[in-house]
Amino acid sequence: MPVTSLGDREQRIAEAVARFAESRPVLEPILRVFGNVLMEKTRVVQRLVAGDPGHVKVDLSRLEKGLSLLAGVSLEPLQEQLNLSCETMLPVLKQTFDKLEEEFGRLEVCYHERRLDLAALSRAYLETDHQTLGEVAKPLMVSTEVLLLVIGIVLAPVLEAVALPYAEPVRQAGWLKGYCPICGSMPSISFLGEGGEQASEFLTGGGGQKFLHCSVCGCEWRTRRHVCPACENEDKDHRYYFQTADDPAERVDVCTKCGTYLPCMDFREIGSKPPMDIAAVGMVHLDAWAREKGYHPMAHTPWNQLR
């Protein structure tokens, strides 16, 4: 996403929250909650981009080999940026999720006592090393789930700021993997758009182009239309989608081979594109349906873990 688009994102978040809340009043509380968190996240990204977004050693040739740019790369150079994000986002989380305020408070104390190695924890988060995170969480007297929530929200704006300059190299590389070309995370949502100058039958399957949105750094990349991002299953007998009759622009794609699901929004139906994280929150009813059927999300997010 271009840096120039950051300035109006807060307004776009507010407008999207209002729009989804109007069409689904029952979701208004959760939309307001995560809208506030995403607003603050946007402010952190703006601060980092205006100041020092941080720099890690990146080899663009990795994309040609199917390797994410940050896979296995030390995040130590981002320690200062992670600190800024933590100092900003933890108080917001305490105020927003009052039932978890005590655990967030313990993590805040641990941070100020320098007992949280945010760079190492962020690396474990990206590698889905829940065992390591669980071992860290236990002596801190917080649950693994809460530590995952905090690290994910702290890491997201830092990696988004780092990822911004690499949007064009990713586009030129023609990355088609199901995981993020920047940080290696799985997508939280996908969307369909009109075919562009690089459209092909391979990419679109005769329809609009399909894009994936990273659950952590927010990178968006084009993908093959009829392939499961999680397991690369192409068998149409093991893939299907569910949508409600009242909103054909929203659906959830399901793969019966690997048991995953991914929400999808068709912008050919609705035109304007909202911030994708808010779109994902506005579609939690589809998350609930998929989970009731026994499927699991490709990426765990704070909103699709709610009960």
Side-chain angles (χ1 to χ4, degrees):
M1 181 176 293
V3 175
T4 53
S5 69
L6 287 173
D8 65 350
R9 198 189 304 179
E10 288 185 53
Q11 180 178 349
R12 291 175 57 235
I13 290 172
E15 291 172 350
V17 166
R19 189 170 76 198
F20 279 106
E22 181 179 9
S23 62
R24 296 193 184 97
V26 70
L27 295 182
E28 182 173 6
I30 184 176
L31 284 162
R32 298 293 178 194
V33 162
F34 286 110
N36 290 337
V37 173
L38 292 170
M39 285 274 201
E40 197 61 48
K41 171 191 167 186
T42 294
R43 295 180 190 117
V44 173
V45 176
Q46 291 171 331
R47 287 177 62 188
L48 291 173
V49 171
D52 179 7
H55 303 279
V56 289
K57 189 174 182 180
V58 169
D59 179 2
L60 291 175
S61 69
R62 293 164 66 103
L63 295 174
E64 300 173 2
K65 305 170 187 175
L67 296 173
S68 299
L69 294 180
L70 298 181
V73 173
S74 173
L75 301 180
E76 287 293 336
L78 301 177
Q79 189 69 60
E80 182 178 341
Q81 290 73 21
L82 288 167
N83 288 342
L84 183 151
S85 182
C86 186
E87 291 164 7
T88 305
M89 297 307 300
L90 253 181
V92 173
L93 292 175
K94 283 175 62 180
Q95 295 170 7
T96 303
F97 301 97
D98 54 356
K99 291 183 180 179
L100 300 174
E101 182 179 359
E102 187 175 338
E103 289 184 88
F104 290 143
R106 291 194 193 109
L107 287 178
E108 195 170 37
V109 170
C110 291
Y111 167 75
H112 289 296
E113 292 179 348
R114 303 187 178 217
R115 289 196 285 147
L116 286 183
D117 186 340
L118 293 175
L121 291 171
S122 295
R123 171 49 57 198
Y125 182 92
L126 290 179
E127 294 175 356
T128 61
D129 185 359
H130 293 181
Q131 180 177 345
T132 293
L133 291 168
E135 291 171 355
V136 171
K138 190 173 181 179
L140 301 179
M141 293 188 295
V142 299
S143 67
T144 304
E145 291 74 19
V146 165
L147 186 60
L148 276 166
L149 171 65
V150 169
I151 297 302
I153 287 178
V154 167
L155 178 62
V158 176
L159 288 194
E160 183 171 339
V162 169
L164 286 172
Y166 301 110
E168 182 59 22
V170 165
R171 188 189 69 80
Q172 292 182 356
W175 180 273
L176 293 170
K177 299 291 185 181
Y179 50 88
C180 176
I182 303 293
C183 70
S185 301
M186 295 302 292
S188 57
I189 190 171
S190 64
F191 60 93
L192 299 175
E194 295 294 346
E197 61 179 8
Q198 293 188 356
S200 69
E201 186 68 19
F202 178 66
L203 292 171
T204 66
Q209 293 186 80
K210 188 171 187 178
F211 297 82
L212 301 175
H213 176 87
C214 178
S215 58
V216 180
C217 73
C219 175
E220 294 176 349
W221 68 100
R222 187 180 286 110
T223 188
R224 290 177 288 174
R225 174 86 178 266
H226 298 301
V227 175
C228 171
C231 70
E232 300 189 343
N233 165 41
E234 299 182 46
D235 186 348
K236 63 181 181 180
D237 293 330
H238 288 279
R239 291 179 291 100
Y240 69 99
Y241 66 87
F242 168 85
Q243 61 189 158
T244 59
D246 62 340
D247 202 333
E250 300 177 5
R251 74 188 203 199
V252 59
D253 296 328
V254 167
C255 176
T256 60
K257 187 173 181 180
C258 66
T260 62
Y261 73 86
L262 186 66
C264 180
M265 184 167 281
D266 191 343
F267 293 122
R268 298 171 304 169
E269 295 283 342
I270 62 174
S272 63
K273 179 182 174 220
M276 293 310 298
D277 286 337
I278 288 296
V281 175
M283 294 166 66
V284 292
H285 59 296
L286 295 179
D287 280 280
W289 175 88
R291 294 182 77 105
E292 286 175 2
K293 297 294 183 181
Y295 298 102
H296 59 272
M298 288 186 191
H300 293 292
T301 63
W303 49 87
N304 68 30
Q305 296 303 294
L306 292 175
R307 294 292 187 268

